[in-house]
Amino acid sequence: MELAQYLPFYDQLPPEDQAALSHSAVLREAPRGALLHSGFSDCLGLLVIRSGQLRAHITSDEGREITLYRLFERDICLFSASCMLNSLQFDLTITVEKDASFWVIPAEFYRALMERSAQVANYTNQIMATRFTEVMWLVEQILWKSFDRRLAHFLLEESTLEGTDTLKLTHEKIAAHLGTAREVVTRMLKYFQTEGMVQLRRGTVELLDRKKLEALDAS
C-alpha cells in the first residue's frame, strides 16, 4: 500500500494493525484555498500529506493571522486530530496553500493504535516535539528579531519554496504570514525597494539582491 511509504512505523506494526490502518485511512484531495481544520473543537483526523502544501496558522481576537508552520509531502499533521490530544488544546487553522492530496486517519483509531504500539507513540511524540520547537523558534523571532530581518527571512524562504525570485504575494498575505499589519509590510517593502533589494509590482515582489537580503537575515 502507498500509505506505508509515508509512515516510518508501518513495517513495525503487526499484520492485523497494518490491515486496519490501510482500511481506516481515506485518501482525499483539496484545492488551493480550502479550509481543512478550524479550532480545537474541530476533529478532522490525522493528516498524512501525499502531495501539495498546507499552512497552519492562528488568528488573534482582532483577526490578525500568523503562520506557525507549513506542511509538505510526507509531513504529518496531528493538530487536525485535536480531540485525540486531550491535554493540548490548540486553536489552530489549517488551509491548503497548494493543491493537495492527503490521507485522513480517524482520530479515535490513531489514538487506539498509539495505546498499543510503542513505535507509534514514540513517533507521535517526536512529531509533537518538532512542532513545539518550530513554534518556540517563531516566538523567539517575534520577540527578539527586528521586522526587517523577519521580512527578509520570509522572502528568501518563499523564494526557495517557489523556486523563483518573482513571488506572487500581496502585502496583505505577507502580513498574515508574519502576524503584523499590511501597512507595516508595505512600508518595509518600500524601504527594501529603495535599497535595491526588491522590485514591487501589483501583487508581486521580485527579489533583486539576494546577497543584501541574506546579509540582513543573518545580521
Side-chain angles (χ1 to χ4, degrees), residues 5-141:
Q5 303 171 24
Y6 292 75
L7 296 173
F9 56 76
Y10 187 90
D11 290 340
Q12 302 175 53
L13 296 175
E16 58 271 22
D17 280 340
Q18 290 181 352
L21 178 56
S22 300
H23 178 75
S24 298
V26 177
L27 184 61
R28 288 183 51 185
E29 295 185 351
R32 178 180 178 180
L35 174 65
L36 298 184
H37 172 83
S38 181
F40 56 77
S41 60
D42 182 6
C43 199
L44 171 65
L46 192 87
L47 304 183
V48 182
I49 315 304
R50 183 171 178 259
S51 64
Q53 181 175 312
L54 309 184
R55 173 187 176 227
H57 69 274
I58 55 175
T59 305
S60 71
D61 292 338
E62 296 77 26
R64 185 172 296 173
E65 298 179 4
I66 186 168
T67 299
L68 296 184
Y69 56 84
R70 279 148 157 176
L71 297 157
F72 305 94
E73 180 183 349
R74 295 186 180 277
D75 278 340
I76 290 179
C77 184
L78 289 173
F79 295 113
S80 53
S82 53
C83 57
M84 183 181 72
L85 308 168
N86 295 329
S87 61
L88 184 63
Q89 292 189 339
F90 221 65
D91 200 4
L92 192 72
T93 299
I94 300 170
T95 55
V96 179
E97 282 196 313
K98 294 181 181 178
D99 294 353
S101 65
F102 48 87
W103 286 278
V104 180
I105 302 175
E108 287 303 319
F109 174 84
Y110 193 83
R111 176 159 52 188
L113 193 62
M114 278 198 305
E115 290 174 352
R116 61 179 180 265
S117 171
Q119 291 87 352
V120 175
N122 289 339
Y123 182 69
T124 305
N125 289 335
Q126 289 175 15
I127 295 173
M128 292 184 66
T130 298
R131 296 291 173 237
F132 180 75
T133 300
E134 290 174 345
V135 171
M136 289 306 299
W137 177 87
L138 177 62
V139 170
E140 289 178 355
Q141 298 298 300

